[in-house]
């Protein structure tokens, strides 16, 4: 069984500007510092002719985990997230996201899309959370999906604030 995640955010800035911020190493590091939890780090960053690929590490203390998860992760969670994003035409970017909860039978995969719209740009993450635990996997998927949605909302707010601060 799997749980779908759909996250959509809009910005008054064009896709090209949002893309430049989303892939900026300083922004990624600042976002991790503020939102990434214990052990947060930019583990890998590479640029090639096709776009950008990076791997982020997030940490969550046990006390901040929902009670059904605390027993499965008595020392907290370490989450590694790999994203790629590349140009796909004027004002359009596409990519992928792969999330692994290290040491737990939980993961997420998804597609990323950033496009110009009439009033700015739209960023969409369309993903699937999977937890492979008999009997409680479905419930755990709901908990993980809700946590991912919270993080995406916080990251969107952080990115919008960064854009407002750094744009002329």
């Amino acid at each position: 069984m799997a749980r779908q995640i759909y996250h959509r955010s809009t910005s008054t800035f064009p896709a090209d500007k949002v893309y430049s911020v989303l892939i900026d190493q300083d922004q990624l590091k600042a976002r991790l510092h503020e939102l990434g939890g214990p052990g947060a780090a930019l583990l890998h960053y590479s640029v090639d002719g096709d776009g950008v690929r990076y791997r982020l590490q997030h940490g969550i203390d046990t006390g901040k985990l929902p009670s059904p998860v605390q027993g499965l992760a008595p020392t907290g969670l370490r989450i590694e997230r790999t994203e790629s994003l590349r140009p796909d035409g004027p004002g359009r970017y596409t990519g992928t996201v792969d999330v692994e909860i290290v040491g737990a039978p939980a993961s997420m995969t998804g597609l990323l899309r950033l496009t110009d719209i009439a009033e700015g740009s739209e960023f969409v993450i369309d993903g699937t959370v999977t937890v492979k635990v008999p009997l409680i996997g479905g419930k755990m998927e709901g908990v993980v999906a809700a946590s991912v949605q919270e993080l995406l909302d916080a990251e969107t707010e952080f990115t919008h604030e960064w854009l407002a601060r750094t744009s002329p």
Side-chain angles (χ1 to χ4, degrees):
M1 191 167 158
R3 177 86 42 134
Q4 290 299 120
I5 288 183
Y6 183 83
H7 177 82
R8 177 186 177 271
S9 62
T10 59
S11 173
T12 57
F13 293 94
D16 292 343
K17 180 68 177 169
V18 174
Y19 173 75
S20 70
V21 166
L22 287 175
I23 65 163
D24 180 79
Q25 288 187 61
D26 290 335
Q27 188 268 359
L28 289 168
K29 290 175 184 175
R31 191 177 79 195
L32 283 166
H33 178 74
E34 186 168 317
L35 304 172
L42 177 60
L43 301 176
H44 172 80
Y45 186 92
S46 63
V47 179
D48 61 26
D50 208 24
V52 176
R53 182 177 178 84
Y54 49 87
R55 187 168 184 86
L56 310 171
Q57 179 173 282
H58 298 264
I60 303 174
D61 286 323
T62 303
K64 292 187 177 181
L65 295 170
S67 56
V69 180
Q70 288 180 1
L72 299 173
T75 60
L77 290 177
R78 184 170 50 111
I79 301 163
E80 293 189 6
R81 171 173 148 194
T82 302
E83 293 186 6
S84 66
L85 205 51
R86 65 192 167 284
D88 195 24
R92 293 185 52 202
Y93 299 86
T94 58
T96 60
V97 60
D98 292 295
V99 179
E100 172 192 2
I101 300 177
V102 179
S107 63
M108 179 188 141
T109 59
L111 299 175
L112 308 174
R113 186 180 76 242
L114 172 62
T115 55
D116 280 334
I117 57 175
E119 55 281 343
S121 61
E122 172 185 69
F123 185 58
V124 172
I125 300 172
D126 191 358
T128 304
V129 171
T130 306
V131 177
K132 296 178 182 174
V133 176
L135 302 176
I136 62 167
K139 180 177 176 118
M140 297 299 292
E141 286 167 351
V143 169
V144 171
S147 296
V148 169
Q149 289 286 8
E150 268 183 43
L151 176 61
L152 294 174
D153 290 342
E155 288 181 347
T156 296
E157 183 177 334
F158 183 91
T159 301
H160 287 171
E161 289 171 2
W162 187 279
L163 278 160
R165 257 192 337 266
T166 61
S167 296

